[in-house]
Amino acid sequence: MTLAEVLAGRLAVWGTGQEGLALAALAVRRGVTPVLIDDDPVGGASRAAEALGGAPLVVAPGDVDWAALDVVVRSPGVSRYRPELATAQRSGVAVTTAMALWLEDRRHDRVLAVTGTKGKSTTASLAAAVLAAAGWDVALVGNIGVPVVETYDRPAAGITVVEVSSYQAADVTTSPGTVVLTSLAPDHLDWHGGVEAYYRDKLRLLEAGPPGHLAVSAASAEALARTAGHPDRTTYGPEGRVVATAAGVVEVDGTPVADVGQLRVPGQHNVWNLCGALAGVLLATGATPSSGAVAEALAGFGGLASRCHPVGERDGRTYVDDALASNPTATATSVAAFAGRPLTVILGGADRGVDAGPLVAALAAHRPGAAAVVLPPDADRLAGALGQAGLARVVTAGDMAAAVDAAAAITPVGGVVLFSPGAPTPAGGGGYAARSRDFIAAAQVDSPADGGNGGGGQGGARA
C-alpha cells in the first residue's frame, strides 16, 4: 500500500505524537482530512490543534465507526495487537504504518535501514556520517527522531539511512535494499505480547521481501541464528567482511579503514556499531569506505545523548547518561564498557517481564566490584536479585536526586556513576528524555564531557 492509495480512501490516523501528526499534516496538505484517534482525546485535540491549526476532532478508540473507514495508520506507540485494530480489520479496514507506506513508496530508491534491539541510533548515525564524508547526499530519518513522512515533500536524497523500531517494522510489506541488524534480545514484550512475537515483528523488516542485502552483527548469537537462512547475509564485528581486529584496527574485506582509538564513545558494543555502520555503507553503495571518510566521520561523532554518553565530571567521578537502556541486556552491555573502573549503576523502572539475569550477572562479574542504586517501582525485586548475586553494596532510593546522591557517596574517586535503568520508564514518568534530564540535573557536573570516551576504554546499539 502506497501513500497515494491511503489518501484515496477514508483515512484515520491513530496517535497524536510526532509521527502521527506528521502524517496527518501531510494528508491535510494534500487535501485529505483524516479522522484522528487517541487514547487521550482531549490532550490529542490540543496537540493536533497546535500542529494542524483549527479545532480538529479527536475521538477515543472505542468511539470509532470502523465501517466508515478504509484504512487506519497507527503510530508506533499504538500496539499492533490492540483489540480495536482486530475489530477494524474484521470490518475490512486496512492497518498500516507510516514506515510501511514510506518503504513501499521508496522501494526503488537507495535505502539503508538499521534495526535491532539496541545499537540502532548509533549505527545509523555513524553510517550517515561516513556517507556524508564520502560525498553522498544523505538523509537520516525514522526512529531516530525525523518522521519518514517529512521526506515526501522534498527531493529524494541520494541515499537515505532510516532507523526502524520493532513497532514500526510490524506492518512492513516491502524490505529495503540494505538492512543492518545490530542485535536481538528480549524487549518490548508488553507491546508485542511475547518474545517470539517481538522477534517476528522485528525481523519482518528484512523478511517482507524481496530480500536485499543484510548485515548482521556476529556478536549477537540470537541475530545470527534467526537470520541463518537469509540468501544475502554478511556478518560483521568479531568476524565477517567488516571486523575489528585484536590490534584495534577495523578492516573491510582485509583493508584497514579505521583505528578503534578514533571512536570517541565507550564500549566494545560501540566498536561493533561502527563495524555495522561500515558494513551497511559497503552493501548499500558497493564500495569500501575510505579511511579518510571514516576518520572525518569519527572526528565529528562524540556519541548520542542518553546512549552511554558521558555528561561530565564532578569531584573526580564521571557521570554517564544511558537512559535509553530500557532492558537488562542493554545495561549489561554498558556495564562492560567500564571494566577496570569502580562503578555504581543507577537502575530501575517498570517491570516489563524481561529476565534480569544478564544484568545481574554483569554486575556480579564487574571488576573492581560494582555497586547499585535501585529506583522504584520495581526496586525491591531487583535489589533482592542483586543482593543474592553477591553485590556488596545495593541501596534503594525514592527518586533520581536521592539516587545520584547515594551513588556519589558510595563511588570512589576515579569511578563512574552510570544511569542505565535496565527497565522502561514507569507510567507517568515522562519517558526516557525526562529521566535523562533529571539525572543530568542531579549530577551537577563541574565540567562538561568533551565528547571523549569518559575513560571507558575501547577494548571492553546500544542506542
Side-chain angles (χ1 to χ4, degrees):
M1 183 177 290
T2 65
L3 177 66
E5 291 169 336
V6 165
L7 295 181
R10 297 169 298 175
L11 170 65
V13 175
W14 188 345
T16 57
Q18 183 182 20
E19 183 170 304
L21 289 177
L23 178 63
L26 177 62
V28 169
R29 289 197 299 274
R30 298 197 177 189
V32 175
T33 301
V35 174
L36 299 179
I37 307 169
D38 200 279
D39 289 316
D40 173 17
V42 175
S46 176
R47 291 187 293 272
E50 183 177 351
L52 306 177
L57 175 65
V58 181
V59 298
D63 296 332
V64 178
D65 179 8
W66 297 111
L69 297 171
D70 295 312
V71 60
V72 57
V73 181
R74 64 169 183 83
S75 296
V78 177
S79 173
R80 183 65 179 82
Y81 303 101
R82 289 281 296 258
E84 298 94 336
L85 290 177
T87 299
Q89 289 183 297
R90 286 194 296 269
S91 300
V93 178
V95 178
T96 188
T97 63
M99 182 65 71
L101 300 175
W102 185 84
L103 285 172
E104 182 67 32
D105 284 325
R106 295 298 178 94
R107 64 186 306 151
H108 300 302
D109 294 348
R110 199 185 298 262
V111 174
L112 165 56
V114 182
T115 194
T117 302
K118 295 298 174 184
K120 299 184 294 297
S121 295
T122 298
T123 301
S125 297
L126 284 167
V130 171
L131 287 164
W136 282 87
D137 171 29
V138 58
L140 176 60
V141 299
N143 191 59
I144 199 164
V146 180
V148 291
V149 297
E150 292 188 3
T151 68
Y152 275 104
D153 291 334
R154 313 173 190 163
I159 184 167
T160 302
V161 180
V162 56
E163 179 189 334
V164 184
S165 72
S166 60
Y167 300 169
Q168 295 169 319
D171 291 298
V172 163
T173 56
T174 301
S175 295
T178 302
V179 176
V180 176
L181 178 59
T182 62
S183 60
L184 278 179
D187 203 2
H188 305 303
L189 303 189
D190 51 346
W191 193 100
H192 294 275
V195 67
E196 287 302 319
Y198 167 67
Y199 288 152
R200 180 186 65 241
D201 290 341
K202 174 71 77 175
L203 296 175
R204 187 173 179 83
L205 180 68
L206 53 103
E207 294 176 348
H213 304 301
L214 172 65
V216 179
S217 173
S220 174
E222 193 71 51
L224 287 175
R226 301 235 171 205
T227 60
H230 194 278
D232 188 8
R233 186 181 80 168
T234 293
T235 59
Y236 67 83
E239 60 183 44
R241 293 185 66 184
V242 183
V243 297
T245 70
V249 175
V250 177
E251 297 179 348
V252 178
D253 291 331
T255 299
V257 296
D259 188 298
V260 167
Q262 295 173 287
L263 184 61
R264 299 187 298 127
V265 288
Q268 185 65 51
H269 61 294
N270 279 316
V271 176
W272 303 149
N273 289 339
L274 172 60
C275 291
L278 298 178
V281 171
L282 171 68
L283 296 178
T285 66
T288 298
S290 70
S291 58
V294 178
E296 181 180 336
L298 292 180
F301 185 77
L304 301 176
S306 301
R307 298 159 175 89
C308 208
H309 185 67
V311 297
E313 307 275 340
R314 176 163 64 91
D315 298 333
R317 298 166 183 84
T318 302
Y319 289 78
V320 180
D321 174 25
D322 195 36
L324 260 174
S326 60
N327 68 50
T329 300
T331 295
T333 300
S334 295
V335 167
F338 299 99
R341 293 188 66 179
L343 176 69
T344 300
V345 185
I346 299 174
L347 303 165
D351 180 7
R352 197 155 51 187
V354 178
D355 179 20
L359 168 57
V360 173
L363 286 170
H366 185 81
R367 296 293 180 272
V373 180
V374 189
L375 290 163
D378 195 34
D380 291 342
R381 183 185 68 89
L382 185 53
L386 292 169
Q388 290 178 4
L391 254 70
R393 294 171 296 173
V394 181
V395 299
T396 59
D399 58 28
M400 184 63 75
V404 171
D405 286 345
I410 60 178
T411 305
V413 172
V416 176
V417 174
L418 169 67
F419 172 48
S420 186
T425 304
Y432 85 88
R435 297 183 99 192
S436 174
R437 289 192 296 270
D438 289 346
F439 171 72
I440 295 170
Q444 296 182 325
V445 294
D446 297 323
S447 56
D450 63 2
N453 67 14
Q458 299 301 331
R462 285 261 324 102

